[in-house]
Amino acid sequence: MGRLQPVLQNRYYFKTATFTDLTHTFFPGQPKFPALPDEEHSHFCRLEDGALFDIQKYSFVGQWGTHVDPPLHMILGGRSIDQLEVRETLLPLVVVNVADKVAGDPDYCIQMEDVERWEAQHGPIPFGSLVAMRTDWSKRWPDPAAMANRDADGVQHFPGWSLEVLRFLLETRRVAAVGHETTDTDGGIACSREDSDWALEKYILAHDRWQVELLTNLDKVPEAGALVVVGWPKPKGGSGFPARVVAIHRAA
């Protein structure tokens, strides 16, 4: 019985836990990276037409809706999505809340003081965790114009990561992945430059880590103590794919 006790305890934890979906429902016309084509969605056959099955056809890029970017997305020879390990799909979830700062400055990029505040309250960020930056930007979904937040000159204004924070998370705390609510890792102003090279996203992927973009409902999960399940299909050599992301945690 002693050997079974941890299993029984975990079963009780999951039975009484809250499951929060951190995933947007995707559809044609949704917010997206500007250069990407829209989704195409049709039926191969329909029940209402007398067919025995309802079968739908989807055409979309891998970076569609809430999605996973593996290293191959920007790094030649990097791991593809089918090469991400199964053990990477269930991770401790860390939520660093900068929503108040973003409300006052849409161009705000997360700073070390934000991470230090989290650690002062909760302890060191766990090894192998997924660190999500909460900005509440997902509340603008599904309005593409609100998500891009362009000014009169067409420059986008939305929050992003900073190199200092990413370097600390990846090289010091050794996290497995990061996530955010916007369409890009880099802030809107950086992404709007004609010479933009999306350096922060490339930094993450070059360190053999992966990321989740376009998360939602981060305001509904605790900053610490949750688990996150990130599920994706397994296309051979895939450089990205829509994901289903679920947080498992105690009720607030």
Side-chain angles (χ1 to χ4, degrees), residues 42-150:
S42 62
H43 270 77
F44 175 75
C45 57
R46 299 172 182 260
L47 293 172
E48 53 263 43
D49 294 334
L52 290 175
F53 310 100
D54 189 284
I55 300 177
Q56 302 177 37
K57 295 166 58 178
Y58 298 88
S59 176
F60 49 76
V61 294
Q63 279 65 31
W64 191 246
T66 304
H67 66 272
V68 171
D69 291 325
L72 182 61
H73 180 46
M74 293 190 75
I75 306 301
L76 185 64
R79 286 190 297 166
S80 55
I81 200 164
D82 56 307
Q83 293 173 326
L84 298 182
E85 299 183 37
V86 175
R87 66 181 180 181
E88 295 178 75
T89 63
L90 177 63
L91 303 172
L93 176 62
V94 169
V95 179
V96 181
N97 183 4
V98 296
D100 287 346
K101 295 181 178 179
V102 170
D105 177 10
D107 295 313
Y108 185 76
C109 292
I110 189 171
Q111 301 297 310
M112 276 304 301
E113 65 183 37
D114 302 309
V115 176
E116 290 166 355
R117 176 202 58 79
W118 191 99
E119 293 201 328
Q121 184 173 356
H122 305 292
I125 289 174
F127 172 88
S129 57
L130 188 156
V131 178
M133 176 173 56
R134 176 188 162 189
T135 59
D136 288 352
W137 206 256
S138 60
K139 295 181 183 298
R140 295 168 176 253
W141 183 278
D143 185 341
M147 290 287 288
N149 196 33
R150 297 180 184 274

Side-chain angles (χ1 to χ4, degrees), residues 191-211:
C191 292
S192 297
R193 294 198 311 262
E194 290 186 4
D195 62 346
S196 179
D197 58 359
W198 291 272
L200 298 182
E201 181 170 351
K202 188 172 184 179
Y203 177 82
I204 295 167
L205 305 181
H207 280 75
D208 195 35
R209 309 308 210 285
W210 51 274
Q211 67 172 15

Side-chain angles (χ1 to χ4, degrees), residues 121-186:
Q121 184 173 356
H122 305 292
I125 289 174
F127 172 88
S129 57
L130 188 156
V131 178
M133 176 173 56
R134 176 188 162 189
T135 59
D136 288 352
W137 206 256
S138 60
K139 295 181 183 298
R140 295 168 176 253
W141 183 278
D143 185 341
M147 290 287 288
N149 196 33
R150 297 180 184 274
D151 62 22
D153 296 321
V155 176
Q156 301 176 97
H157 295 276
F158 55 76
W161 291 89
S162 68
L163 180 58
E164 182 183 25
V165 167
L166 289 175
R167 181 178 290 123
F168 175 77
L169 294 177
L170 272 59
E171 299 185 30
T172 301
R173 293 294 181 248
R174 305 292 296 174
V175 304
V178 301
H180 44 268
E181 300 171 69
T182 54
T183 54
D184 291 281
T185 313
D186 301 69

